[in-house]
Every structure is written in structure tokens, then in C-alpha cells.
Amino acid sequence: MFPTPVEKLGPRARIGYQALLPLALIMWLLPLLAVAVFSIRPETDFATGNYWGWPSSFDALSNYALVFTGSDMPRYLMNSVLITVPTVIGAVALSAMTGFALGIYQFRGNVLIFFMFVAGNFVPFQILMVPVRDLTLQLGLYDTKMGLVLFHIAFQTGFCTLFMRNFIRALPRELIEAARVEGISELRIFWYVVLPLMKPALAALSVLIFTFIWNDYFWAIVLTQGADSQPVTAGITSFNAQYRAAYHLMSAGSLVAALPPVLMFFAMQKHFIAGLTLGAVK
Amino acid sequence: MSDHSNISGAPGFWYRNQRRLAPALFLAPGILFFSIYVIIPIFQSFNLSLYEWDGLGAAEYVGLRNYEELYWDEAFYTSLRNNVIWLVLYLLAIPGGLFIALFLNQTVTGIRIYKSLFFFPFVISQVVVGLVFTWFYDPTFGLLNAMLAWVGLGPINVLGNEHTVTYGIILAGLWPQTAYCMILYLTGLNAVDPEQVEAGRLDGAKGWKMLWYVVLPQLRPATFIAFVVTIIGALRSFDMISVMTQGGPFGESRVLAYYMFEVALSEYGFRMGYGAAIAVVLFLIMLVYIGFFLAKMYRDERGG
């Protein structure tokens, strides 16, 4: 254990440490706490310049209610869900298969294909932007959720393949050999032997991809335009334009837009962290 | 008779060849998607950078003229310079993350919830991080200037000043990135061998020496991933610039990723070819790191 556990340093150090923790946390989250405080202030506080004094009233309920009733926010949130969930399913399904193929079989070009997925995953978005936008236009999918979903699935398959393949590599090979000796077909091995063992990887990737896609902004503004299809990251700018200078509402709106991945993280923390560390740091 | 042989012949073929056919079958959909949306567009962008195209009409072949224009374009050099600043300063997330991870690597009650709360800025979208920091910096009502006023300083307009704007945005970007590095190190610290630490203690190693000679070498995998994700994050910086300043003031906070978007897809003009040329430059910079990363992975594959 490094550094030395505070318990070993005596009660003074422990109490000091435990007092320091909340202070450090408040410092760390200060900009966010400031926005949270804004979001519960009434409009009059901003008119009178009472930015940092005691709020003249606590309007959290009406501010947040207005976010949901007075704007397109619910639609943007719904769009985000309808973009994120199919992407997660699609990317995880595709990469479970590619990861299986690359992790289990030895054939010529295996490493090459694997490296193609890994390298593609790291390219800057801008090198894809014009051709992907053009392709989406030609398919008639510009400004549709489907257009975004198809691209996201394809791109995330790169990262997911890296993860799945490494995960499958670490599974005990004897299981697969034993199944083969039994005469079980390769398709059944995938479905009945490997897939059940991959549950932790599937969970980790699902929460991770959910967060990545929910938070995507670049492709949202490149491939979509209006409230019919834009996710909440892009919608928040329209929201802010609608409520220009109404900082209590903009703050509340931003927090609402940011919330779903945060909830997802707190609910699935263990899987999330396993995914983030690429399984490389145990 | 012939019917019978067909029925038994078909599964026979599959059974005899499935070990060769299965990988192709499993790979096909993934490769198809990935090629159409990622691999082929890279080459298309390279090709497009040799054309002048507004996205609608006919593209005109101009050879290397886009690159020649880039050579004389001051906005390009501003963006390039800012990319270098991003790359260098963003790396501060690594020691920063290590520092917080060491601070939190204790076992007092409630520490797990503290770790989660320190980490969660990473989960928030960069758009919201950008907004949060825009308001934090705001010269009239921002908390930063309120705090400066308490100690009799300020006000300063971080995002309105061409000399401070890039640093202001990078600081905002460092917030989630440090959280990411912290979680990498916290996970890494879990795996540090306690016996080695004890042995180090017996040898009289303490504090910095212990960290440098005993702990850090064991954290190498975490450090490597931290480098990879931080460098890629730095070169991908787009969302926060778009939300916080739109490249301003006077284009002083642009980076290549943002400038490319501005050239190709904003009201400043739809110059797809010129944008593609900028993207190619950015891609080539990234390629250095991708190559480095793949080489390391290849060595690990061989070794393992």
C-alpha cells in the first residue's frame, strides 16, 4: 500500500485526512457546484446582480420544470436515447463477432485486421468528416437519427473490437478446445460457450459506449440539424439561444443534459472503470 | 438418392471447412461497416484535398494548391501552435491524476464515494464542461472573478483575451482528463505489490524515492494508457473550443480540428478541399502517435 495508510500514522493524521477530503472535493467540483447553485436561483437574483450571495428564494422546482415544459429539451433527450441505445446494441453486437474471430482463430491477416480496427479508432474525426457527411447525404440519411447511428456503430466497432478481442484472448482456451472435441459447431461455440463468458466485457462496453455516444457533439452537428434528430449535446446550444442570459435556466438545462451518463456511471461503476482502463490495468 | 447426398453433403461441407469459414463470417459485418465509414473515407479525404469543392457543384482538380495555400495561411499556423500548446499542457493531466490518485489511495470509511465523485467530471459531456467553465470565467458573474474580487484582484476576462484564451480552455479540458488519469492510476495502485513496498520501506525508501523507484515502475501500464488517451484527447479537442469561444477572439483559440470544421462547414465558407487538406495534416500528426502505439502493441503481442 502506497502511500502509507493514514491509520498507521495515528489518530491525528486520520482526522486531518478525513477533514481534508470534503474540502478537496469541494475545490475540485467548484465550477460545477457554482452552476448547480445558479440552477436553483430565481430570475430576480440575476437582475439584481445577486450572483454569489444567499439566493432570495429557492426555485429549483420551477426552473427544472421549465426546462422540461418550456423548450424542446424533452425531444432532444429522447433523440439522444434513440441514437445512443441502438448504437450501443449495434457496436457491441458487431464487435462481439469481430472480437471472437480475431481472438479465437489463427489465420493470415489476423493481426493486420486487428491493427486496422485499432488504428482506425484513433484517427481524428476531421479526416472522416467530409466523406462521411457526403455519404450520409447520398443515402438520404442526412439530418436523421439513423444516419448518426450507422456512423457511430461503425466507428465504435474499432474501439470495441480492441476491447473484445483482448478479453477473449484471456479466456481459457481449453473450454473451446473441449467444445470442439465434442463436435460442437463454431457458431454454437460462439453463442453457447464464448458469449456467456463475455458478459463482463459486454457490460463494460455497453456503459462506456453509452457515455461516449451520449456525449458526442462533433458528429451531431456535422450530420444533423434540427430538433427532429439532434441529440441533447447539440440541442443545448439551441436551448441556450432560446434562453439567452437566463442563466438559471441555462444552468438547469446543462445539468439535465449531463445527467444521464452520470447516473449510468454511478449505477454501473465497476463495469465502467473496467472498460476505461481497457482491461490493461487490472 | 441425389437428394439424400445433398442433404448430408451440405452440412458436411460446413463441418469440414467451418474453422476456415467462421472467422470470415464473423468478421464480415464489422469489416464492411468499418471500411465504409472509417477506412475508405480516410483515402477519400486525401484525394479530396487535391480538389476545390463547395460540397454541391463539380469538384475542380487543383493539385497541391490547397497545401500551398495552407503554407501561406496564418490561421493555419495559429491553429498549429495552439495544437502544440494543447499537446504539451494536456500532459499535465498525467502527474495531476497521479497526485490525486495518491491522495485518495487510502482505506478510510467513505473513500469509495470520494473516488467516484472525483472521477465523475469525466463522464460529463465536454459541451457541458465547456459551458460550466465559460460561466466560471465570466467577467461579470463568474465565480473566478468573484473569488479574485474577495482578495482584491481582477476582474479578468480569460476567454475574451487573446493571450489567455487557449490556456483557459485547456484548463477546462484538464479537469475531466485529470479525472481520467486519476482513475487509471487508482486502478494501477490496487495492483502494486505490497511486498515490494514493504521491502522498499525496510531499505529505507520513503516518499519521493519510494514513488520513483518502487511504485512508478509498477504503474507503467497505467502511465502508458494515460499517455495514449491524453495525447489523443489533446489532438481531438474540438467540443470545448466550439462551445466556449468558437475559435475566437480573433481566431486565437483555434486548433486544427476546429479550423478544419470552420473552413469546411461553417458560415465562413464551404471549402471541402481546403478543409480536407487541413484534416490530412492533422491526420499525419496523429499518425506519428498511432504508429508509436501500434509498434508498442506489436512488441507486446510478440512478447506475450
Side-chain angles (χ1 to χ4, degrees):
Chain A
M1 185 92 183
F2 181 85
T4 314
V6 282
E7 305 93 87
K8 286 195 183 163
L9 298 175
R12 262 224 205 121
R14 211 195 68 236
I15 292 165
Y17 180 73
Q18 279 182 323
L20 199 60
L21 273 176
L23 282 179
L25 183 68
I26 290 170
M27 289 287 290
W28 180 242
L29 295 180
L30 204 57
L32 195 66
L33 294 174
V35 173
V37 172
F38 267 20
S39 77
I40 60 167
R41 281 180 181 278
E43 194 175 0
T44 47
D45 274 6
F46 295 95
T48 56
N50 176 20
Y51 301 120
W52 298 110
W54 193 254
S56 60
S57 66
F58 291 90
D59 284 15
L61 219 57
S62 61
N63 287 351
Y64 282 92
L66 199 58
V67 169
F68 284 98
T69 56
S71 74
D72 277 331
M73 199 56 121
R75 284 175 81 189
Y76 290 124
L77 286 168
M78 198 58 204
N79 288 342
S80 278
V81 171
L82 292 176
I83 290 163
T84 307
V85 173
T87 302
V88 168
I89 296 170
V92 168
L94 282 188
S95 61
M97 294 195 289
T98 51
F100 176 74
L102 295 171
I104 298 285
Y105 301 97
Q106 284 169 349
F107 54 91
R108 223 154 36 113
N110 181 317
V111 176
L112 199 71
I113 294 172
F114 179 53
F115 277 22
M116 177 195 80
F117 280 117
V118 176
N121 165 54
F122 289 136
V123 301
F125 294 149
Q126 282 70 22
I127 193 98
L128 313 177
M129 186 186 99
V130 178
V132 166
R133 183 174 173 275
D134 204 35
L135 175 68
T136 308
L137 276 166
Q138 281 172 13
L139 292 172
L141 294 174
Y142 181 76
D143 199 21
T144 65
K145 293 185 270 291
M146 180 58 104
L148 262 181
V149 167
L150 287 180
F151 171 77
H152 280 319
I153 289 178
F155 192 82
Q156 295 304 328
T157 298
F159 172 75
C160 294
T161 299
L162 164 68
F163 189 87
M164 290 280 192
R165 182 263 193 191
N166 286 346
F167 189 87
I168 291 173
R169 272 281 155 103
L171 294 176
R173 288 196 69 83
E174 301 82 51
L175 276 171
I176 292 142
E177 293 305 331
R180 280 181 180 155
V181 172
E182 297 278 324
I184 299 170
S185 83
E186 300 294 314
L187 301 183
R188 280 165 169 273
I189 289 177
F190 171 69
W191 193 256
Y192 292 109
V193 179
V194 175
L195 215 49
L197 293 172
M198 274 159 60
K199 272 183 197 148
L202 299 175
L205 275 181
S206 299
V207 282
L208 211 56
I209 300 303
F210 180 93
T211 310
F212 288 167
I213 301 304
W214 187 281
N215 291 341
D216 165 68
Y217 173 69
F218 181 76
W219 293 103
I221 59 172
V222 168
L223 297 181
T224 57
Q225 263 179 335
D228 283 336
S229 49
Q230 276 197 325
V232 72
T233 41
I236 190 74
T237 43
S238 323
F239 179 85
N240 287 350
Q242 182 187 345
Y243 290 106
R244 181 160 299 286
Y247 287 100
H248 55 305
L249 294 179
M250 292 202 284
S251 304
S254 308
L255 293 183
V256 167
L259 202 59
V262 173
L263 294 179
M264 187 64 116
F265 163 66
F266 278 103
M268 309 272 289
Q269 229 181 101
K270 210 184 75 196
H271 294 301
F272 191 94
I273 290 167
L276 264 191
T277 51
L278 303 177
V281 204
K282 285 268 156 54
Chain B
M1 249 341 249
S2 63
D3 267 351
H4 175 79
S5 73
N6 258 343
I7 289 162
S8 67
F13 175 77
W14 170 249
Y15 268 94
R16 262 182 286 116
N17 293 291
Q18 59 170 342
R19 297 275 287 272
R20 273 196 302 127
L21 293 176
L25 215 62
F26 279 113
L27 278 171
I31 289 189
L32 186 75
F33 259 65
F34 204 69
S35 305
I36 291 176
Y37 274 108
V38 182
I39 304 300
I40 296 171
I42 294 173
F43 294 99
Q44 286 174 321
S45 277
F46 267 88
N47 183 46
L48 188 65
S49 72
L50 306 177
Y51 288 82
E52 188 71 60
W53 187 43
D54 61 4
L56 293 168
E60 182 201 346
Y61 182 80
V62 294
L64 291 175
R65 213 182 302 158
N66 282 327
Y67 292 95
E68 193 191 333
E69 188 179 339
L70 216 50
Y71 183 80
W72 298 108
D73 184 353
E74 259 184 58
F76 170 70
Y77 290 104
T78 308
S79 311
L80 200 61
R81 182 203 66 202
N82 283 341
N83 262 123
V84 173
I85 298 176
W86 268 89
L87 264 178
V88 173
L89 290 184
Y90 224 47
L91 290 175
L92 289 175
I94 297 171
L98 177 64
F99 177 78
I100 299 178
L102 290 172
F103 174 64
L104 291 177
N105 194 34
Q106 296 286 350
T107 47
V108 298
T109 41
I111 195 73
R112 283 193 51 187
I113 192 80
Y114 277 105
K115 288 177 183 172
S116 313
L117 288 170
F118 266 89
F119 172 68
F120 96 94
F122 177 75
V123 189
I124 302 171
S125 79
Q126 299 228 328
V127 172
V128 175
V129 173
L131 289 171
V132 165
F133 272 83
T134 308
W135 298 329
F136 182 70
Y137 290 140
D138 191 281
T140 52
F141 62 79
L143 185 56
L144 177 68
N145 281 304
M147 291 192 306
L148 285 176
W150 293 334
V151 293
L153 291 171
I156 52 167
N157 186 356
V158 177
L159 300 180
N161 182 326
E162 68 214 68
H163 301 294
T164 54
V165 60
T166 292
Y167 302 99
I169 303 173
I170 293 175
L171 190 70
L174 277 173
W175 191 49
Q177 192 64 32
T178 305
Y180 192 173
C181 295
M182 174 204 82
I183 210 75
L184 289 171
Y185 279 121
L186 271 177
T187 335
L189 280 168
N190 270 339
V192 165
D193 182 3
E195 281 180 23
Q196 286 196 36
V197 175
E198 274 315 307
R201 287 222 169 92
L202 291 179
D203 287 341
K206 270 199 290 196
W208 285 110
K209 274 198 169 153
M210 176 78 92
L211 179 64
W212 190 255
Y213 292 107
V214 181
V215 178
L216 268 185
Q218 295 186 63
L219 291 176
R220 209 166 277 159
T223 306
F224 177 68
I225 296 185
F227 261 97
V228 172
V229 296
T230 302
I231 286 167
I232 287 172
L235 288 174
R236 281 219 175 130
S237 53
F238 173 91
D239 298 5
M240 277 190 294
I241 294 165
S242 172
V243 169
M244 295 174 83
T245 62
Q246 303 198 310
F250 317 118
E252 279 295 319
S253 62
R254 285 180 183 130
V255 294
L256 288 179
Y258 188 78
Y259 186 44
M260 184 276 168
F261 175 82
E262 208 178 65
V263 164
L265 266 194
S266 77
E267 64 242 62
Y268 296 103
F270 286 81
R271 300 191 57 199
M272 304 290 174
Y274 194 48
I278 300 169
V280 165
V281 173
L282 181 60
F283 175 75
L284 293 177
I285 296 171
M286 197 84 105
L287 203 57
V288 175
Y289 295 101
I290 297 175
F292 170 75
F293 180 57
L294 287 184
K296 154 104 171 109
M297 258 180 61
Y298 189 71
R299 281 200 307 273
D300 290 353
E301 288 284 310
R302 286 284 122 128

